[in-house]
Amino acid sequence: MSKSINRRNFMKTSGALVAVAGLKNSVIADATSGKDQEFYELRIYQTESADKIKILENYLQNALIPALGRMGIDRVGVFTNIDDQKDSAVYLLIPYKTLETFSEVNPKLQKDNKYLDASKEHFAVAQDDPVYNRILSRFYKAFK
């Protein structure tokens, strides 16, 4: 028997998993590096169609995620709601070890030539037909 997952349930479940992962990672970080907690950014890219999702996924896979990896940011998650064909949002979860890491991302991206080259196609899309309509961004602090 297959259960359909709606966006609300997906977000609740994702939030719970983030909290649990944050707790586990926080404990590991405490034991190994003296850091108290991790931070998580959840970006929700709202698109209008499956075609736009493909463009966005290409950008994430070939430009953003490799650039984050070069900054030492790993375990980046990209999700879509496969149970709702009308939901054309892409969810991106980025873990940060510190607030400083989060604040350094955009300045480092602007200096990363590999990122700039790989993202040219994404940023060349006409403004009157954007890849996504909106980005919702949420920032979370893991439990101690």
Side-chain angles (χ1 to χ4, degrees):
M1 184 165 108
S2 155
K3 289 185 179 180
S4 177
I5 298 176
N6 65 30
R7 184 183 300 190
R8 186 176 306 240
N9 288 339
F10 171 79
M11 295 308 293
K12 285 180 187 175
T13 303
S14 297
L17 291 173
V18 167
V20 170
L23 179 61
K24 176 183 172 194
N25 291 327
S26 178
V27 170
I28 292 169
D30 283 344
T32 60
S33 67
K35 299 293 181 196
D36 290 334
Q37 297 165 303
E38 278 193 324
F39 301 87
Y40 300 93
E41 179 184 13
L42 176 63
R43 296 182 192 176
I44 304 169
Y45 293 87
Q46 295 180 337
T47 64
E48 290 184 355
S49 68
D51 294 337
K52 302 292 184 177
I53 288 176
K54 294 293 182 201
I55 295 169
L56 180 58
E57 287 175 343
N58 184 46
Y59 162 73
L60 295 174
Q61 180 179 1
N62 298 314
L64 184 60
I65 293 173
L68 293 173
R70 288 189 291 276
M71 292 180 215
I73 300 170
D74 59 0
R75 300 175 291 123
V76 176
V78 179
F79 310 94
T80 58
N81 185 351
I82 60 173
D83 289 333
D84 183 357
Q85 297 301 318
K86 293 180 183 178
D87 182 2
S88 56
V90 175
Y91 302 82
L92 178 70
L93 184 64
I94 307 170
Y96 299 100
K97 293 177 183 172
T98 65
L99 286 174
E100 291 77 23
T101 305
F102 169 73
S103 68
E104 295 169 350
V105 167
N106 286 334
K108 285 183 177 182
L109 286 176
Q110 294 306 309
K111 294 177 183 176
D112 185 337
N113 289 328
K114 289 182 180 179
Y115 166 78
L116 295 172
D117 287 342
S119 62
K120 281 182 183 178
E121 178 185 34
H122 174 75
F123 290 113
V125 172
Q127 290 184 359
D128 61 346
D129 189 25
V131 174
Y132 47 85
N133 307 5
R134 183 177 188 174
I135 300 175
L136 299 173
S137 183
R138 310 258 163 106
F139 199 74
Y140 300 97
K141 181 178 179 181
F143 294 108
K144 282 190 177 184

